[in-house]
Amino acid sequence: PADAEAAEAVGLHANAQLASARHELAALVDNMAASGGAHGGLVAQAAVGSDDLLALAETIDSRLPAPFNLETVMEAHPPTYEESMHTVLGHEAARFNALLHVVRETLR
């Protein structure tokens, strides 16, 4: 909240800091991918023959929560005109499930 107020104080939209952080993250990911080069990058080199990384991936995978049951979410919080945030909840639960799927597939 304080950051949003600071952004508005200098004439920026309240989401300006979020947009800036997303841009910085994208740049960081691009730089990490670019550092791989022809040699596969540090992560790929470390992964060769490394049981520690496999154990870490298994640990992370075991700690991930189960995906949301979207039917249950929508039954418990049906989207109505009066409760428009229920629609957002359903969308975000679906997005979270998609993210969990990508994380799990990446760890395997």
Side-chain angles (χ1 to χ4, degrees):
D3 294 334
E5 291 171 5
E8 289 176 359
V10 293
L12 297 174
H13 188 272
N15 290 336
Q17 185 161 0
L18 177 62
S20 175
R22 290 182 73 186
H23 177 71
E24 288 178 19
L25 177 62
L28 176 64
V29 170
D30 288 345
N31 288 338
M32 288 174 58
S35 70
H39 303 293
L42 296 175
V43 174
Q45 290 172 7
V48 174
S50 176
D51 291 334
D52 292 338
L53 287 178
L54 291 175
L56 178 61
E58 288 174 5
T59 301
I60 292 170
D61 188 33
S62 71
R63 292 182 180 177
L64 289 174
F68 288 110
N69 182 330
L70 297 180
E71 251 182 57
T72 303
V73 170
M74 297 313 286
E75 286 174 7
H77 305 284
T80 63
Y81 182 78
E82 294 80 19
E83 293 291 341
S84 60
M85 289 304 289
H86 289 185
T87 302
V88 175
L89 176 64
H91 291 171
E92 291 304 314
R95 289 178 55 178
F96 185 75
N97 284 352
L99 175 63
L100 280 176
H101 177 74
V102 169
V103 170
R104 281 197 170 97
E105 290 301 313
T106 302
L107 290 171
R108 293 186 179 139

